[in-house]
Amino acid sequence: MYLFSYREEHSEDGETPGTVITGSSNLTYKGLRGQNEINVRFQHKTEFRDAQNIFNTLWETAIVIADKDHIEDFEDGVIKHIWYEKLPTPYLLYLRVLYEYFKIDTSKRIRTPHDINKKFFNLKYQEDAIRMALSTIDKHNGVIISDVVGLGKSIIGSTVANNLNLRTIIISPPHLKQQWEDYVDEFKINTARVFSRGIISKALEYYRSRTEDHETWLIVIDEAHNYRNEFTQDYGMLHELCRGNKVMLLTATPFNNQPSDIYSMIKLFQIPTKSTLQTVNNLGDSFRHLINLYKNLKKEQKDKKLSEEELKSRIENIAQKIRAIISPLVIRRSRLDLDAIPAYKEDLKKQNIEFSKPAPPQLLDYDLGNLRDLYLSTLEQISPQGYDDDTDQIIPSKAFHATRYKPIMHVKKEYEEEVIKLVEKAGFEYHLFKGTQRNLAKFMRTLLVRRFESSQTAFRISLNNMLSNHLNIKNGLKSVTLYRFSKKECYQTSKLCMIPQMMLFLK
């Protein structure tokens, strides 16, 4: 109700003291023109006085919000508690960020491992992880549970599955399949089926034969870091299995991989162009940028353009950017966290649970007696001290060069461009391929050292196998070098193995 009192000169000697407008709309532009609602206007003296009496009665009995005598109460009681057009202090903003980032919604009733099966402990750190996982899956369609080894990722994952109560497929490493089948029984995940990592095709077939339109499943993938290569057939089937469903990835090593590996895992439940993450504007663009940064970094490392300090700093910088992007998707606590957070530490103490504290490694020397010189000279032949894989200059002539494992290092200069084309046609980046062969040679020398330290018999068997393979390649080269492959034949062969082509260009 709106009251308009007229000045005396406009009141017609008091017969028209004012106007009353009442109705369903407000007196704004939208209220008057846009909403097509009805208002009624009264000008009669009696109607105006009745409305005025109603207003005065309400005014006299109203609670005082602000007047000249209560302005301080109004500021203290109202203004200070209104957020509108206020700038919070940095400390309050900091507290709000902490709350939004770390809050755990405890308002919902959930089943804990102890609720489901009394044989399991009632641990707050596990309950918090379960609540966070359920919230993350609800917001982002998936979660990465990456607590360090020993904190019970499988128990947390099984409890989450029980609370979601969806039809469930669990992809497990072969050696853990029986354990997961036991968890399905112990945690009463009645709709779950466990498949070994090596038979994802059967899991997909099972899913296709039983899924219905718009039905949502839960896909649990243990040791999810094994699916970081999106160009494999298994990943393709796994991606189809996860599409449109809720996904839970379990891995203890989410940050120890290159950006492309982590991106592949995230794409199992996040659509890059329609990401639910608010930590980044465009998930795909951001990860493509990080992937290119990493590739350039590895190239500079191969070309020895970076010091160890620079390399470490830049890798850490990329890792921090990855953490910043995917942090809302990841639940990760260490044993140090459990010891540092009072609620968790007290909980463990009540349950009489203690984590082992491994001692640092100790160096144990033992005397080889008369065999010492023979032992050291053999080691020097297998893996010479100060040897540079890039140049082959310092290694003694009688030492193990491991040339068979890095033929690309011995390509003649005049054939290098042709070899680069072969490598790239086969789908490899030349410098990375070169580094791969160099690392393989180092690995074979290390393997021989370990076999030598294991036993004479093991060392002799490995040497005989290597010698036999070397002679087979050497004999094969006698026929191969009589002619040259065509480019087409080179490319087709390169899909199977790069070594035959490399042998064509040896010095």
Side-chain angles (χ1 to χ4, degrees):
M1 184 172 63
Y2 297 87
L3 297 180
F4 299 90
S5 297
Y6 294 163
R7 292 193 181 103
E8 189 176 346
E9 61 266 29
H10 299 299
S11 67
E12 299 180 3
D13 294 328
E15 291 300 318
T16 309
T19 296
V20 180
I21 297 178
T22 183
S24 60
S25 65
N26 55 68
L27 296 185
T28 63
Y29 179 81
K30 286 287 186 182
L32 294 171
R33 295 294 300 273
Q35 296 176 344
N36 296 321
E37 296 184 8
I38 296 174
N39 297 283
V40 181
R41 177 180 178 224
F42 302 101
Q43 284 186 300
H44 194 274
K45 179 180 179 179
T46 303
E47 293 166 339
F48 179 81
R49 294 301 181 199
D50 288 343
Q52 197 172 44
N53 289 335
I54 293 172
F55 175 82
N56 290 335
T57 301
L58 292 172
W59 181 264
E60 288 169 4
T61 58
I63 298 172
V64 176
I65 295 178
D67 61 18
K68 63 181 180 179
D69 298 324
H70 298 84
I71 189 66
E72 290 184 1
D73 294 337
F74 180 69
E75 289 180 344
D76 292 338
V78 179
I79 297 297
K80 287 184 178 179
H81 299 281
I82 295 176
W83 61 268
Y84 182 65
E85 290 189 343
K86 287 291 183 64
L87 290 176
T89 64
Y91 178 68
L92 290 178
L93 189 60
Y94 167 70
L95 291 180
R96 182 56 186 243
V97 169
L98 290 181
Y99 173 76
E100 291 294 337
Y101 198 79
F102 294 107
K103 70 176 178 180
I104 299 174
D105 184 7
T106 58
S107 62
K108 296 179 180 178
R109 176 78 173 91
I110 67 165
R111 290 180 291 277
T112 67
H114 186 70
D115 293 333
I116 300 168
N117 191 323
K118 300 304 180 186
K119 69 176 281 189
F120 294 99
F121 290 111
N122 196 5
L123 301 173
K124 180 167 175 43
Y125 80 86
Q126 289 186 346
E127 179 184 341
D128 285 350
I130 293 161
R131 290 186 180 277
M132 288 189 289
L134 290 169
S135 175
T136 304
I137 290 173
D138 183 55
K139 291 177 184 176
H140 304 293
N141 293 318
V143 66
I144 302 173
I145 299 177
S146 62
D147 283 347
V148 298
V149 175
L151 300 192
K153 289 188 295 298
S154 301
I155 293 174
I156 293 169
S158 299
T159 309
V160 170
N162 176 284
N163 278 272
L164 287 174
N165 195 29
L166 299 172
R167 297 184 74 172
T168 302
I169 288 177
I170 300 170
I171 306 297
S172 161
H175 64 285
L176 295 178
K177 187 173 184 291
Q178 185 58 53
Q179 174 185 298
W180 272 106
E181 289 177 344
D182 292 341
Y183 279 152
V184 166
D185 292 334
E186 290 173 339
F187 285 91
K188 302 177 176 64
I189 316 173
N190 301 322
T191 60
R193 177 79 179 271
V194 183
F195 291 90
S196 178
R197 186 169 66 209
I199 53 172
I200 296 180
S201 57
K202 291 187 178 180
L204 184 58
E205 182 181 341
Y206 172 80
Y207 169 73
R208 287 170 175 169
S209 66
R210 285 165 176 79
T211 190
E212 299 176 2
D213 290 342
H214 308 298
E215 182 184 14
T216 300
W217 289 53
L218 172 66
I219 311 299
V220 181
I221 305 171
D222 195 11
E223 294 191 7
H225 50 270
N226 289 301
Y227 302 100
R228 55 181 180 257
N229 185 354
E230 63 179 295
F231 300 107
T232 64
Q233 187 177 12
D234 277 355
Y235 182 91
M237 291 187 289
L238 196 62
H239 191 272
E240 181 181 343
L241 192 62
C242 294
R243 187 169 57 236
N245 292 316
K246 306 296 184 182
V247 178
M248 184 160 46
L249 306 181
L250 309 181
T251 173
T253 57
F255 298 115
N256 295 344
N257 305 315
Q258 54 184 320
S260 58
D261 298 343
I262 298 170
Y263 186 39
S264 297
M265 288 193 289
I266 293 174
K267 284 194 292 185
L268 289 173
F269 60 89
Q270 281 281 297
I271 301 173
T273 55
K274 297 180 180 179
S275 174
T276 57
L277 290 171
Q278 296 180 335
T279 53
V280 65
N281 291 329
N282 188 307
L283 183 64
D285 283 348
S286 298
F287 261 100
R288 278 190 290 272
H289 174 66
L290 291 173
I291 290 168
N292 288 332
L293 281 180
Y294 186 82
K295 284 182 178 179
N296 293 335
L297 183 61
K298 297 301 289 183
K299 185 177 183 302
E300 290 182 51
Q301 180 189 14
K302 299 297 182 185
D303 295 340
K304 297 187 176 179
K305 294 181 179 179
L306 296 174
S307 66
E308 287 295 326
E309 292 75 15
E310 289 173 325
L311 178 64
K312 184 177 179 181
S313 174
R314 288 173 61 179
I315 287 178
E316 180 57 31
N317 181 258
I318 292 174
Q320 286 178 356
K321 290 179 178 178
I322 293 174
R323 289 189 187 99
I325 293 173
I326 70 172
S327 57
L329 306 175
V330 179
I331 298 171
R332 181 172 179 81
R333 286 87 51 84
S334 68
R335 297 184 182 189
L336 293 177
D337 293 328
L338 268 60
D339 191 57
I341 298 174
Y344 294 167
K345 187 174 183 178
E346 185 64 26
D347 199 30
L348 293 176
K349 189 183 295 184
K350 288 179 182 178
Q351 306 284 354
N352 294 320
I353 298 175
E354 290 185 6
F355 293 112
S356 60
K357 296 180 180 179
Q362 298 180 4
L363 180 64
L364 299 177
D365 292 326
Y366 53 94
D367 187 8
L368 293 174
N370 297 331
L371 295 175
R372 182 178 183 278
D373 291 340
L374 176 62
Y375 179 82
L376 293 178
S377 64
T378 305
L379 283 181
E380 181 63 21
Q381 290 185 57
I382 300 173
S383 185
Q385 295 293 319
Y387 169 57
D388 186 350
D389 266 292
D390 294 330
T391 61
D392 271 339
Q393 297 300 315
I394 305 175
I395 189 169
S397 60
K398 293 184 178 180
F400 177 50
H401 288 252
T403 302
R404 169 190 161 202
Y405 304 101
K406 51 173 183 177
I408 202 170
M409 306 298 295
H410 300 277
V411 173
K412 289 183 176 181
K413 285 291 183 184
E414 57 266 33
Y415 295 118
E416 190 168 20
E417 288 188 10
E418 192 171 346
V419 171
I420 291 174
K421 290 179 181 178
L422 280 172
V423 172
E424 291 179 348
K425 277 186 176 181
F428 301 100
E429 199 277 320
Y430 179 69
H431 291 282
L432 291 178
F433 186 77
K434 196 173 183 180
T436 300
Q437 289 199 357
R438 188 164 50 224
N439 292 335
L440 179 59
K442 291 179 182 178
F443 173 77
M444 295 308 297
R445 275 197 296 276
T446 303
L447 179 65
L448 267 185
V449 169
R450 290 179 178 176
R451 296 286 280 176
F452 173 63
E453 290 179 338
S454 174
S455 70
Q456 290 185 23
T457 302
F459 184 53
R460 183 181 295 110
I461 291 172
S462 294
L463 285 181
N464 286 334
N465 289 337
M466 284 184 172
L467 181 60
S468 175
N469 292 333
H470 172 76
L471 292 175
N472 287 338
I473 291 176
K474 186 175 179 181
N475 293 332
L477 278 174
K478 292 178 181 179
S479 58
V480 170
T481 51
L482 294 178
Y483 64 93
R484 295 285 301 277
F485 285 137
S486 68
K487 287 186 177 180
K488 181 178 180 181
E489 289 170 328
C490 282
Y491 176 61
Q492 290 173 340
T493 310
S494 69
K495 290 182 178 179
L496 302 176
C497 178
M498 289 302 300
I499 290 179
Q501 296 92 284
M502 298 302 104
M503 290 298 182
L504 298 177
F505 308 104
L506 292 180
K507 295 176 184 176

